[in-house]
Amino acid sequence: MQGSANLNIMIKAARKAGRSLVKDFREVENLQVSMKGAGDFVSKADMAAEEILKAELMGARPTYGWLGEESGEEEGQDPTRRWIVDPLDGTTNFLHGLPHWAISIALEHKGQIVSGVVYDAAKDEMFYAEKGAGAWLNDSNRLRVSGRHRMIEAVFATGIPFAAKRTLPATLQDLARIMPECAGVRRFGSAALDLAYVAAGRYDGYWERELNIWDIAAGTLIATEAGAMIGPIREGQDPLQDGNLVIANNDIFEKFSKIICARD
């Protein structure tokens, strides 16, 4: 796919930060790690990747706003556009030597996500999309959600809350309802990649609560451009802003969402 200038900037930035992360990943046992909160770690590699991304993205578009997981929010001269960045989604996997983590970059324009990149540097898989132009993997592979229409054949993904997160009871109730209805549930530890995998048809659906916008901004665009349907877990919420979402292919979305939202 021939992308816009902004998308090309995003892909270039993701690859540059990815090279830095892969280098650190190979020596993960030597990383110095500090704790941000219960079960939520930040590493020097994480912060270095965000510095690279910020330099590349803001260097190319200095008037845009910025929202990064590590560096926070900055208003831009152009109030209509903002980069939304997670430099390392799946930090715990990274620190344990598990090769399942990603860089997530989204571009917001007038409150809408218009471009998104999720880069799995460990496997060199670049998922990307622009609003209205479909979703793609690497240079030329068009992404489409799965065509499964029977719940009992479907595989879903979620995130299981850790430590002191208050949504653990609700998630355990979700699992009790969904497990008898499907072929399996996976918990791989990266929301950005979960959404990209829905886009690629590797998962048939995904749900999670209490996510941050930088976790899901790029991935939700990629998944919906690949044909996924998205909705809130609780009626009246905005999935992107509230961080509570259910997403699946068109054929099973209604039944899947009814199960997940049944008692929330």
Side-chain angles (χ1 to χ4, degrees), residues 155-176:
V155 171
F156 299 103
T158 191
I160 299 176
F162 50 82
K165 285 202 170 185
R166 60 189 175 92
T167 54
L168 179 59
T171 303
L172 294 177
Q173 291 174 12
D174 294 342
L175 291 168

Side-chain angles (χ1 to χ4, degrees), residues 58 61-66 73-83:
M58 296 301 293
R61 297 289 187 265
T63 62
Y64 289 11
W66 171 269
E73 187 169 7
E74 298 177 17
E75 289 189 11
Q77 295 175 13
D78 180 349
T80 69
R81 293 177 173 85
R82 177 173 69 158
W83 299 116

Side-chain angles (χ1 to χ4, degrees), residues 86 88-95 98 100-102 189-191:
D86 187 345
L88 180 54
D89 185 58
T91 307
T92 301
N93 285 347
F94 185 93
L95 294 175
L98 298 170
H100 193 77
W101 43 268
S190 169

